[in-house]
């Protein structure tokens, strides 16, 4: 699993002109990619890391500050554009694999105590955010 995590003051996801997920308080925007060999162990690791990483103001984590997370699926995080001009998506898991893991990550975050807003898996989404800092971090599961 790969996540691009941004510290935000607010963030939202719009699909077909309707806001489907939003956080209106300081928290984290998480863009999440899933690869072929990801499974429950990667879900647990990523959820713990997202909930515990200290990138909010005053070196707090989302768990310390009870900060919300907006989690958006983004298969393009596993795009590879090293050759040619057109990226390949071979490393991204297909929807049948990645959607249940995306859902599992959101559920695991909620189990840990997080308030989680979501995008719509596979939809054409408009993501808006107000980056705070800016602070952006890339997390890859071991």
């Amino acid at each position: 699993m790969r996540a691009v995590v941004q510290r935000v003051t607010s963030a939202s996801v719009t699909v077909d002109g309707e806001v489907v997920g939003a956080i209106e308080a300081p928290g984290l925007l998480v863009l999440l990619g899933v690869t072929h060999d990801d499974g429950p162990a990667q879900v647990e690791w990523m959820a713990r890391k997202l909930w515990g990483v200290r990138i909010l103001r005053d070196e707090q984590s989302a768990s310390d500050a009870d900060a919300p997370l907006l989690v958006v699926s983004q298969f393009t995080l596993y795009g590879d554009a090293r050759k040619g001009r057109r990226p390949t998506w071979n490393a991204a898991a297909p929807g049948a694999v990645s959607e249940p893991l995306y859902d599992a990550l959101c559920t695991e975050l909620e189990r840990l105590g997080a308030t989680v807003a979501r995008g719509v898996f596979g939809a054409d989404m408009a993501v808006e955010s107000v980056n705070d800092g800016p602070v952006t971090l890339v997390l890859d599961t071991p």
Side-chain angles (χ1 to χ4, degrees), residues 7 13 21 27 29 38 45 50 66 68 86 89-90 93 95 105 110 112 122-123 127 131-132 136 140-141:
R7 183 174 79 190
V13 175
L29 170 60
D38 287 337
W45 185 93
L50 291 168
D66 198 25
R86 181 176 295 150
W89 315 111
N90 295 338
L105 177 80
E110 290 169 339
L112 292 171
V127 180
N131 226 339
D132 183 15
T136 302
D140 284 299
T141 54

Side-chain angles (χ1 to χ4, degrees), residues 22-23 28 51 62 66-71 106 109-110 112-117:
I23 57 174
L28 300 177
W51 191 226
D66 198 25
L69 295 90
L70 173 57
V71 182
C106 293
L109 282 166
E110 290 169 339
L112 292 171
T115 299
V116 178

Side-chain angles (χ1 to χ4, degrees), residues 68-135:
L69 295 90
L70 173 57
V71 182
V72 179
S73 62
Q74 189 169 348
F75 79 93
T76 61
L77 293 181
Y78 279 105
D80 185 354
R82 290 178 288 185
K83 293 182 181 178
R85 298 185 312 159
R86 181 176 295 150
T88 65
W89 315 111
N90 295 338
V97 172
S98 56
E99 185 173 11
L101 294 174
Y102 165 78
D103 288 337
L105 177 80
C106 293
T107 299
E108 181 64 13
L109 282 166
E110 290 169 339
R111 190 192 69 72
L112 292 171
T115 299
V116 178
R118 303 178 188 207
V120 175
F121 187 91
D124 187 5
M125 297 176 274
V127 180
E128 293 187 46
S129 65
V130 179
N131 226 339
D132 183 15
V135 174

